[in-house]
Amino acid sequence: VNQYQMAIKFQALSKYTRFLGYTFSVGQNGVIYPILHYNPVTLMGTIHQKTTGHSYARFMELGLRPGDIIEITYRNDVIPYASKPNIPDNAYNPNEPIPFPTTCPVCGAPIEITHKGSAICPNMACIGRTLARTTAMVSKLGIKDISEERIKALGFTSFTEMMNIDANKCYEVLGEVGNQFIDQINKLMSDPIDDYVIVGALGFTGLAQKSWQSILSVMSLEELLALNDMELFSRLKPVSGIGDATINTIKDERRIFANDLLFICNMPNVKRTTGHTQTYDKR
């Protein structure tokens, strides 16, 4: 009880169902996510027939076989969580456990397993990674009503392609939503915005907006592209919170995002933060 406020908690709803199999998706940083499929169950009036398997480590822990009985628990009224109960049906299931794929389900690149128990597609050009990265970028830039399926339908895979997208095509594909999308792009092109906000949305592996705020306070975008690897390392090494792994990511990926970085350089509404340590408003 805090100032006479009370929280009442209820036991999470759960139901048994039969596991059917897995599909796999690729996240923007290359992480391979297993997705469990099962016979439909209804929880809180909603029908559920699939849920995330979270990670490679969780996949190996579950060791599911087709036909296993799984327990689906509705945790925090947000997402179904799957577990494997210790019951006779599962003990006597004759099917073999489903193996984790050894290659990316989208591009076919060999999967790498990290020490943290994640399965990674290392191919930055993987269309699965690219689509997830582009979807995340659109969301981080505050653009509304543009889902992964709509991005796929419009066919853009980068910031530059999005900013140069044809208005007529948007309307043909999305109707009025397409017109609203163009309005949001025009706003992004005209309203004041900090450089680190856009760069932080592009999708450099593991680099959030806060890291880019620190990086771009000591280095311009032009320098980021022009400096050689040794110069880049010496300039960024003293920056607080920027370690070797982050610098190596920038070294490895800056060419991938070169067109986007150059486009940002030429946007007249972008506020350059090099030489400034204060935090600006995003818009």
Side-chain angles (χ1 to χ4, degrees):
V1 177
N2 175 35
Q3 296 182 351
Y4 305 101
Q5 295 176 345
M6 184 180 297
I8 302 175
K9 297 186 177 181
F10 299 89
Q11 184 175 354
L13 295 174
S14 65
K15 288 186 178 180
Y16 281 0
T17 186
R18 196 170 296 277
F19 170 69
L20 302 176
Y22 282 107
T23 55
F24 298 87
S25 65
V26 185
Q28 63 171 325
N29 291 335
V31 178
I32 310 294
Y33 295 101
I35 301 169
L36 290 81
H37 296 261
Y38 45 83
N39 287 333
V41 295
T42 301
L43 296 167
M44 299 290 289
T46 303
I47 298 174
H48 300 274
Q49 52 192 4
K50 65 179 180 178
T51 191
T52 177
H54 299 288
S55 66
Y56 169 80
R58 178 64 176 159
F59 176 97
M60 299 303 292
E61 178 186 339
L62 287 171
L64 291 174
R65 298 162 295 183
D68 273 344
I69 300 297
I70 57 175
E71 183 176 15
I72 302 299
T73 305
Y74 206 35
R75 292 190 172 184
N76 302 319
D77 296 341
V78 176
I79 189 169
Y81 180 83
S83 58
K84 182 179 177 179
N86 184 17
I87 58 176
D89 284 45
N90 290 338
Y92 295 105
N93 185 345
N95 295 318
E96 292 294 322
I98 295 175
F100 201 89
T102 57
T103 58
C104 173
V106 178
C107 72
I111 288 174
E112 299 175 358
I113 307 299
T114 71
H115 68 281
K116 294 183 178 180
S118 294
I120 304 290
C121 170
N123 179 17
M124 278 291 290
C126 170
I127 190 62
R129 288 189 66 168
T130 301
L131 184 58
R133 189 166 61 237
T134 305
T135 303
M137 175 196 73
V138 168
S139 176
K140 290 175 183 177
L141 291 173
I143 295 174
K144 308 296 184 183
D145 299 323
I146 301 299
S147 64
E148 181 174 304
E149 290 303 315
R150 285 174 170 170
I151 290 171
K152 193 184 299 184
L154 290 172
F156 67 90
T157 59
S158 70
F159 179 76
T160 303
E161 290 178 0
M162 180 183 75
M163 299 302 285
N164 287 314
I165 199 163
D166 182 70
N168 291 329
K169 179 180 179 180
C170 287
Y171 181 75
E172 290 172 4
V173 174
L174 301 180
E176 186 55 37
V177 172
N179 288 338
Q180 295 169 7
F181 180 43
I182 292 298
D183 289 342
Q184 293 180 85
I185 289 175
N186 291 336
K187 187 176 178 65
L188 188 58
M189 185 66 85
S190 60
D191 287 0
I193 186 170
D194 289 314
D195 49 10
Y196 64 82
V197 174
I198 303 181
V199 179
L202 294 182
F204 279 80
T205 303
L207 268 72
Q209 184 184 116
K210 186 176 181 180
S211 296
W212 281 111
Q213 185 174 10
S214 299
I215 292 165
L216 294 179
S217 70
V218 300
M219 177 182 295
S220 70
L221 291 172
E222 289 83 357
E223 290 174 312
L224 184 73
L225 286 168
L227 294 176
N228 63 41
D229 288 351
M230 291 185 63
E231 291 170 332
L232 187 76
F233 188 88
S234 64
R235 287 283 297 277
L236 292 181
K237 183 64 176 176
V239 179
S240 177
I242 304 301
D244 290 358
T246 295
I247 299 173
N248 285 329
T249 295
I250 295 172
K251 285 163 52 179
D252 293 340
E253 298 182 8
R254 57 180 170 164
R255 301 306 173 196
I256 295 171
F257 295 101
N259 287 338
D260 291 339
L261 295 172
L262 287 171
F263 188 92
I264 296 166
C265 287
N266 292 316
M267 291 174 65
N269 60 310
V270 170
K271 294 194 289 183
R272 300 301 193 93
T273 55
T274 305
H276 301 278
T277 56
Q278 70 268 31
T279 301
Y280 294 98
D281 291 333
K282 289 185 179 181
R283 297 282 182 177

